[in-house]
Amino acid sequence: MIRAVLVMLGGAVLAGLLVSLTASVASAHVPTTDGTSTIRQDGSLVRYKLEVDYDKLTKAAGLGGLPRRAKDAERETFLDSHRSQLASYLADHLTVALDDVRCAAALEDTGITKRQNFLYARMLLIHRCPGSGGEFTVRYEVFSDTAAIGAEHTNMVDYDLGGSGGSDVFDAGHHELRVGQSHADDAGQHEPQVGARVFSSSMGRFVSMGLEHILFGVDHVLFLVLLLLGAQGWRSVVRLATSFTLAHSVTLALAVLGWVEVPAEIVEPLIALSIVYVAVENIVRGESQHRTLIVFGFGLLHGLGFAGALSFTDHFSGHLLVSLLSFNLGIELGQLAIVLVVFPLLLLARRYSWSTVAHAGATAVVGVIGLVWFIERLLAPSGAA
């Protein structure tokens, strides 16, 4: 018993030292920015409403910046006064073409939008195309130089263009959207295939996003690992995983649809605290009879965290529902992969006498990491969680 306590304390101290020396890892998330694109065709005109991180845009476009405590009116005026410079940046990083002929673009309006205490720059671009039918190509490279903004960028797209509508996503691996029917194709013969290809590739990207979000969201992974460490058997794993899945699916949907809005500076510290709670419970008394209900409550928090990767401006629609379900499917696939890899190894380790000490030590280490994240996020400036 004394040896077990010493191992746990040693592991906890080591974890604390490692976390303090690697603050970038302790954040549990790769720095990201999000944005939205709402694209609507009106004859030969394409209206493109773009919303992206205000501070990152002014930095990437070389506009300079305002004091952190600047008022909203000052920020709007700042964008408007730099409209020509902003238009030049967007002309190089966002284009719309019809049958490979670039549409002339004009920046018609600028402004700001706030969502969950984050400030976004809002821009309306009008693209005048040489016709109204054909294959449209949208090329998006805003913030493509990630070194310039110190973060990865994801932009959610809602489009009604080229006779079809849907949702898509621009990110580091996907900069181009092609919709409509090229005049070079046989008249109408390939339209169903083109639409199906765009639809399936869009679904695949949202599934991939969900998969990456849970696998690279270290806090979500560690929470699942703690549940597996405390689980008594496969029946327990299925019960807990089902509870967690139902809960995070509910709040993910509610948050993405805009029906529930909780600031990230509240959600993120509580997610870290959920790790601490389960770790302490694992060590003190193991899996309690109320754990399923507790996991459901924590799952509601994690669902709000998952929703931070999605940001739509469209109201509820079939396209949005498909995108949401695809993203959630990716999360479930990632969760299933973690369970199928980790839990069999834990069952194998439990055959050995040292497993009790090892399980307790691992739980203590994860608990300390969760505590560091909780303090870090609690003290982080607004919007930085």
Side-chain angles (χ1 to χ4, degrees):
M1 183 63 182
I2 296 178
R3 182 181 178 185
V5 172
L6 290 175
V7 171
M8 285 189 294
L9 290 175
V13 172
L14 179 60
L17 290 174
L18 289 174
V19 170
S20 65
L21 292 173
T22 55
S24 60
V25 176
S27 66
H29 294 286
V30 175
T32 60
T33 70
D34 69 337
T36 59
S37 292
T38 305
I39 309 172
R40 296 289 183 267
Q41 181 185 358
D42 182 11
S44 62
L45 298 182
V46 175
R47 302 180 185 275
Y48 195 126
K49 187 172 78 171
L50 173 67
E51 293 183 4
V52 292
D53 185 290
Y54 184 98
D55 293 327
K56 296 295 189 295
L57 176 67
T58 56
K59 180 179 181 181
L63 306 185
L66 287 170
R68 185 177 181 84
R69 298 186 179 278
K71 297 180 179 179
D72 291 349
E74 293 176 304
R75 294 183 180 277
E76 287 188 335
T77 301
F78 182 79
L79 279 185
D80 188 62
S81 64
H82 291 80
R83 185 178 295 192
S84 60
Q85 193 172 349
L86 189 57
S88 177
Y89 173 79
L90 293 175
D92 293 334
H93 295 82
L94 196 164
T95 61
V96 176
L98 176 60
D99 290 333
D100 295 325
V101 177
R102 184 166 171 173
C103 304
L107 180 57
E108 293 289 321
D109 189 30
T110 61
I112 61 173
T113 299
K114 282 187 175 179
R115 293 197 303 273
Q116 293 190 344
N117 293 336
F118 284 86
L119 185 66
Y120 295 84
R122 184 185 69 250
M123 292 147 287
L124 176 62
L125 295 130
I126 303 296
H127 294 83
R128 291 172 170 79
C129 301
S132 59
E135 183 182 53
F136 286 88
T137 302
V138 179
R139 184 74 182 173
Y140 183 92
E141 294 180 314
V142 176
F143 302 162
S144 57
D145 183 6
T146 55
I149 63 170
E152 294 181 357
H153 177 61
T154 300
N155 189 284
M156 301 298 159
V157 186
D158 175 65
Y159 65 88
D160 187 351
L161 187 65
S164 63
S167 300
D168 209 324
V169 56
F170 292 128
D171 56 24
H174 178 62
H175 295 283
E176 191 172 271
L177 171 67
R178 287 181 177 267
V179 292
Q181 182 66 30
S182 173
H183 292 310
D185 295 332
D186 295 334
Q189 290 183 3
H190 302 292
E191 187 172 351
Q193 292 88 339
V194 170
R197 185 171 66 248
V198 172
F199 180 75
S200 62
S201 63
S202 174
M203 282 186 60
R205 279 189 286 275
F206 280 103
V207 170
S208 178
M209 278 185 63
L211 189 62
E212 291 178 2
H213 194 66
I214 188 168
L215 293 181
F216 293 100
V218 186
D219 47 3
H220 305 303
V221 173
L222 291 185
F223 181 79
L224 284 173
V225 169
L226 283 176
L227 294 181
L228 297 177
L229 283 167
Q232 299 302 312
W234 280 108
R235 181 177 297 180
S236 176
V237 169
V238 171
R239 185 178 67 252
L240 294 174
T242 301
S243 178
F244 184 66
T245 296
L246 289 175
H248 75 63
S249 296
V250 168
T251 47
L252 170 62
L254 292 177
V256 169
L257 295 174
W259 297 342
V260 171
E261 185 172 314
V262 183
E265 55 263 32
I266 295 177
V267 173
E268 293 296 332
L270 290 178
I271 289 177
L273 199 59
S274 72
I275 295 173
V276 177
Y277 179 91
V278 176
V280 171
E281 188 178 58
N282 278 357
I283 294 174
V284 173
R285 60 178 179 177
E287 183 182 349
S288 68
Q289 60 180 346
H290 302 298
R291 174 159 287 194
T292 302
L293 184 60
I294 293 171
V295 168
F296 185 86
F298 287 146
L300 296 175
L301 287 173
H302 284 257
L304 295 172
F306 291 143
L310 294 178
S311 180
F312 291 103
T313 59
D314 192 23
H315 297 294
F316 182 81
S317 67
H319 300 307
L320 187 151
L321 181 61
V322 170
S323 302
L324 175 59
L325 291 176
S326 300
F327 181 78
N328 199 45
L329 175 60
I331 291 176
E332 305 317 324
L333 290 175
Q335 179 176 298
L336 180 61
I338 293 169
V339 170
L340 293 180
V341 170
V342 174
F343 197 61
L345 294 176
L346 293 178
L347 290 178
L348 181 62
R350 288 175 185 178
R351 297 179 180 180
Y352 300 93
S353 59
W354 49 261
S355 65
T356 302
V357 174
H359 279 47
T363 299
V365 169
V366 175
V368 170
I369 292 174
L371 182 60
V372 171
W373 283 335
F374 172 69
I375 296 172
E376 180 189 60
R377 295 173 183 184
L378 198 63
L379 299 178
S382 177

